[in-house]
């Protein structure tokens, strides 16, 4: 097997990602039923990942949309998908618009970093965050003409922003 074969075989197909989304949705439906929370599930495939969104006008759902709770539920759902499919999952979970809310929070962190840079700092470090959140920060920084790099290991991995 060549390096190219390994790269190609490790990229999940759209069908694989749709199956991953279906498995995740089944797990989440059971979880919501146990918690007696109503929610509509929407599945999508974007940027090589399965996206599962839970939406509803339920107060119970708003409790689940806290960033730490979404992160924990995402990890549990990924484990359930991995257990069922035998493959590592990079599925993204959004509950009640939590990803949009988190993006706005990350934009505010980048804005605060820009203020530090405008004040003369050569770089601005952001707090530790998940790989998905760091990717969002990298995208925001790039959109704003900034440079961003991740440093650290594990739970201490964080992003540092500089000017070009």
């Amino acid at each position: 097997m060549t390096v190219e074969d390994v790269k190609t075989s490790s990229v999940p197909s759209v069908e694989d990602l749709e199956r991953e989304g279906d498995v995740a949705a089944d797990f989440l439906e059971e979880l919501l039923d146990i918690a007696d929370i109503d929610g509509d599930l929407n599945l999508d495939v974007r940027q090589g990942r399965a996206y599962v969104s839970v939406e509803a006008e339920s107060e119970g759902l708003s409790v689940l949309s806290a960033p730490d709770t979404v992160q924990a539920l995402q990890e549990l759902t990924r484990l359930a998908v991995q257990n069922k499919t035998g493959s590592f999952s990079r599925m993204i979970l959004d509950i009640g618009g939590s990803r949009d809310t988190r993006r706005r929070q990350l934009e505010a962190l980048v804005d605060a970093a820009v203020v530090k840079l405008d004040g003369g700092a050569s770089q601005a470090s952001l707090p530790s965050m998940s790989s998905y959140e760091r990717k969002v920060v990298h995208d925001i920084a790039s959109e704003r003409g900034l440079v961003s790099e991740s440093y650290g290991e594990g739970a201490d991995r964080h992003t540092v922003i500089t000017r070009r």
Side-chain angles (χ1 to χ4, degrees):
M1 183 178 270
T2 68
V3 172
E4 205 51 45
D5 291 334
V6 171
K7 285 182 183 177
T8 308
S9 67
S10 65
V11 176
S13 69
V14 171
E15 293 80 20
D16 292 338
L17 294 172
E18 287 172 345
R19 170 147 167 66
E20 189 176 309
D22 288 338
V23 171
D26 289 345
F27 173 79
L28 289 165
E29 281 179 15
E30 287 183 40
L31 189 67
L32 291 172
D33 284 346
I34 290 168
D36 196 27
I37 297 173
D38 293 324
D40 297 324
L41 287 116
N42 296 309
L43 309 177
D44 196 9
V45 172
R46 290 183 264 160
Q47 301 170 336
R49 291 183 186 218
Y51 278 73
V52 180
S53 300
V54 183
E55 301 168 1
E57 298 291 325
S58 167
E59 188 172 314
L61 196 61
S62 66
V63 170
L64 295 180
S65 66
D68 289 343
T69 305
V70 172
Q71 187 67 28
L73 288 172
Q74 177 175 281
E75 292 307 315
L76 285 173
T77 305
R78 285 178 173 177
L79 288 171
V81 169
Q82 184 174 340
N83 186 48
K84 185 87 170 187
T85 65
S87 299
F88 177 75
S89 172
R90 295 177 55 222
M91 179 271 317
I92 299 296
L93 176 62
D94 178 47
I95 299 177
S98 60
R99 292 294 171 186
D100 290 337
T101 299
R102 184 61 179 148
R103 180 176 175 92
R104 287 190 297 277
Q105 292 169 342
L106 294 172
E107 287 172 341
L109 284 174
V110 172
D111 290 342
V114 169
V115 169
K116 287 181 183 177
L117 295 173
D118 288 345
S122 61
Q123 64 183 25
S125 293
L126 302 183
S128 301
M129 56 187 72
S130 72
S131 62
Y132 177 78
E133 291 172 325
R134 287 192 313 275
K135 163 113 177 49
V136 172
V137 166
H138 292 306
D139 292 345
I140 294 166
S142 177
E143 290 165 6
R144 296 182 181 181
L146 301 166
V147 175
S148 61
E149 293 187 51
S150 293
Y151 294 95
E153 298 294 324
D156 293 327
R157 194 142 173 91
H158 64 282
T159 306
V160 174
I161 295 177
T162 59
R163 294 220 183 261
R164 292 189 190 266

